[in-house]
Amino acid sequence: MKGAARRVVIEVVGWVLVVAGVAALVLPGPGLLMIFGGVAVLSQQYEWAEKRLDPIKYRALKGAAESVATWLRIGFSSAVALGLLACGVVWIRRPDAPSWWAFADAWWLPGGIATGITQIASGILALGLLAWSYRRFHGNPAAVRELEQDIDEADEEFRDLRS
């Protein structure tokens, strides 16, 4: 029974992370990180997921490296993360709808405290990932070159497995 329960938990957690990661690609949140986490969980049970783990991991790291490649990107990413934190605080405080709001008051800041907490958590996570990316990749072209080699090797392995 324990084996079946473990398989169910792996399946549910893995797919929830993958679906949430796909959603976070267009919504606030660390999409590639969540997709990687979901595939990592699913790789404990499925060979197809294990084969796709390295290419996803290296692409997520490549995105991290690109996010700190220039000061403009660092500034924009920081501003978005701080904006998420600010929006989360506003959502939690839930001020009254302003006079210019043309819709019903129920449509003002939907989701309430849960949305605010999610925004704050996403902002904190984004700032943490940005700091980690900066320390690992900014001003370190050797690390970026090594990462690009890892991507090429993982892509080649994946093509060989598909053949």
Side-chain angles (χ1 to χ4, degrees):
M1 182 64 177
K2 288 182 182 181
R6 182 180 184 277
R7 283 195 311 272
V8 169
V9 168
I10 287 172
E11 190 87 22
V12 170
V13 169
W15 284 113
V16 165
L17 282 170
V18 168
V19 170
V22 170
L25 290 174
V26 294
L27 299 171
L32 284 177
L33 184 64
M34 290 169 63
I35 292 171
F36 173 70
V39 173
V41 169
L42 291 171
S43 73
Q44 296 176 26
Q45 189 166 320
Y46 296 109
E47 188 177 327
W48 64 263
E50 187 175 349
K51 291 176 185 177
R52 286 160 176 80
L53 200 55
D54 281 344
I56 293 171
K57 176 177 91 172
Y58 294 134
R59 294 241 168 6
L61 289 171
K62 178 73 172 171
E66 290 172 350
S67 72
V68 294
T70 66
W71 285 108
L72 181 63
R73 288 183 181 181
I74 294 169
F76 182 75
S77 297
S78 299
V80 169
L82 292 172
L84 275 171
L85 290 170
C87 286
V89 169
V90 169
W91 247 264
I92 289 172
R93 292 201 58 220
R94 193 139 176 100
D96 293 334
S99 60
W100 52 264
W101 185 250
F103 303 101
D105 286 353
W107 288 92
W108 176 249
L109 303 178
I113 194 167
T115 300
I117 291 170
T118 302
Q119 288 174 332
I120 290 173
S122 293
I124 291 169
L125 184 60
L127 288 172
L129 289 171
L130 187 63
W132 177 84
S133 299
Y134 182 85
R135 289 180 55 135
R136 176 147 185 209
F137 295 113
H138 187 76
N140 190 355
V144 175
R145 275 194 306 276
E146 182 181 331
L147 180 58
E148 288 170 351
Q149 289 173 345
D150 290 340
I151 289 172
D152 291 341
E153 289 172 14
D155 287 348
E156 190 173 318
E157 287 177 26
F158 184 68
R159 278 191 294 273
D160 290 345
L161 289 173
R162 289 178 57 192
S163 303

